[in-house]
Every structure is written in structure tokens, then in C-alpha cells.
Amino acid sequence: MMFLRNAGVAAALAVAGALAPDGAFAQGAQPGPTLASVRSKGMLDCSANQGSPGFGVPDSRGEQRGLDPDICRAVAAAVLGDASRVRWHVLTSQARIPALQSGQVDLVARTFTWTHSREVNAGLQFGPTTFYDGQGFIVRRATGVTRAAQLDGATVCATAGSTNELNLADWARTNNIRVQPLVFESNEDTRKAYTAGRCDAYTLDASQLAAFRTSLVAADHIILPDIISKEPLTPAVRKGDPQWFDIMRWTIYALILAEEFGITQANVDQMLASPNPEIRRLLGEAGDTGPAMGLDRRWAYNAIKAVGNYGEIFDRHLGPNSAIGLERGLNNLWNRGGLMYAPPMR
């Protein structure tokens, strides 16, 4: 450690300290174009899935329910103080990128795989991964197929504009397996085609296959153990607005940190009195993390109060006690054997 002995240097650094992250934005950063637009509309325009149980489906009132919609709600709560201020745009896999590029939506949180081409060529910027997945196959038990290598000569259903379509082609070429892709515009059409027997197998992210299987006579269908890709499902925003990227990214990190610190939707008010400096910064009791992004000091508190921490969101929609019944696996916290890791809030 170095100690300052020169009063002039100390004074200079004291001035610089006023311009450091905690002090520079004490009065609040000016809103960038997306934040200004969202506030002007009083609404966050967010993508919605056509129907992927656990990740995004409309309920009986047409409200989106799932992990992805709760990410949108968390951002709305952080920005507008109200998680209900979300306008949903139901988008196909092919439509979600143009919708974000054109400004139709402010955020895509819709089973969206982070890839090089999407980030570099399509002008998108991906935040923290909210679900680590991989692509698999579902088949009818009556086929006798137990491994993906046995699909040689099979017709395989896939959705256009998804990474699943390209992954299937790459996997088949690499393993010298002949498959006949049968491609549809939407996941819903693809599911219907498999259910109707138009294809021998259906390829999709394994978690979504597990969700799809709940709508079938489960005993008649098996999900093969082979995983043929990495699918980091990750929310994205347009490039060119670093403030909005920060808001999206750090809202997700706040949900992960909340789980790590034991902050829940139920106890967040009690945690305001915590002596832990990291918790105090996260919940806006100390520091200027919100004003540094042009937000209220209680931005993270509002997000957690609205949807709970990341673990609560996962358990509610995907966990062992949900209809999907998934274990946390890679989606557990870093200190519990998973990959969910957030930088410090300081």
C-alpha cells in the first residue's frame, strides 16, 4: 500500500475523487437516448416469446410469464419504478433482431443465444447470460432411438432464424450424419409439426424441450442425452447507447447479487438496515450506483422488490417445484457449482 505524503498530490487526488464514479454522478447522469425514450413513453418495449413454457408464455389474461418476461419487468422497475410498465411485442425468432435494430423494442429477452454474428454483424450488445443451455433432440419412444447418432436419415424439425437450424447442419456435417431438416417460421409451428408426426425428431434447446414435453404424453417421448451446442441465452440491446447497456447489464447483475447476499422479494425491506456495505450499495442506502446510470438510488431495490432475486425467478418458472422441473445445474451461483457470477457493486 502507498501512503500520500505530499499535500499537493493529496489535494489533487481529492479533487479527482469528486469526479470518480461515486462522486461524478452525485447529481445524476443525463439520460441517454434510450433511457430518455423509455421515460417519455412511460413504458419499456420488450420482446415476448410466442410461447415457450418457463421462458415466456401468456397467462389467461395475456400477461407474459416466465424467466425472460421477469427480466423485462426488473428493468422496467429499475428505470420507471413500476414493473408493470412493460409493453410486450410477440416476435418470431427471425423478427426479434430487426425489431431491436429498428427501435421497435428497447430490449430483447426472449431465449436469445449470444453469438459472434449477432453481436458484431447485427449491431447488438449482449448482457449477462440468464440461462446456460445446450441444444438437444426429442423423439418418440416408439422409434427406438436412444442416441443422436441414430438419427441418420431422419427428418428433423427446427425453427427458422434460430441457432438451432445452423447447429443442426453443423452437427450433421461434422458427424457425417444425413438429416432432412424441416424448417418452420415459429416455434409453435415447429412443435405442431412434431406433434402431428411430420418429423422423426425435434431439435431445440434442451430446457425448452423439457418444457415442451410437459405438453405431451411424457412417457411416449424421450429427450436424447446428446447436447450438440452451447446456448448462452442472453438479453440484448442495440449498440451505441452505453448507458442503456449498463442499465440492462447491471439490473441482471443486481438480481444475481441479491441471491448471493440472501436478499429476497420478501425480505428486501428488512435488508435495507443491513450493515453490510455491499448490500447497502446494492439497495441504494450508500453510494451512487443508480445516479451514475441516470437512475434513482433505489433502482436495484425496485427490481428485487418487483420480481425477487435470480434464484427466485428460476425456481418460480423453471425449478424442481415448477411444471418444468429443472435443476439449477450451470445456472446456479458461482459459489454453488454454477456459472452465475456478478461483479462487485462498488
Side-chain angles (χ1 to χ4, degrees), residues 229-251:
S229 72
K230 293 183 293 185
E231 301 295 325
L233 305 182
T234 311
V237 295
R238 287 179 297 281
K239 275 186 179 174
D241 189 340
Q243 181 191 58
W244 187 245
F245 175 62
D246 285 344
I247 289 170
M248 178 268 285
R249 179 172 58 169
W250 280 98
T251 299

Side-chain angles (χ1 to χ4, degrees), residues 152 171-178:
D152 192 38
W171 169 79
R173 187 178 303 111
T174 299
N175 293 279
N176 197 28
I177 294 174
R178 296 173 297 107

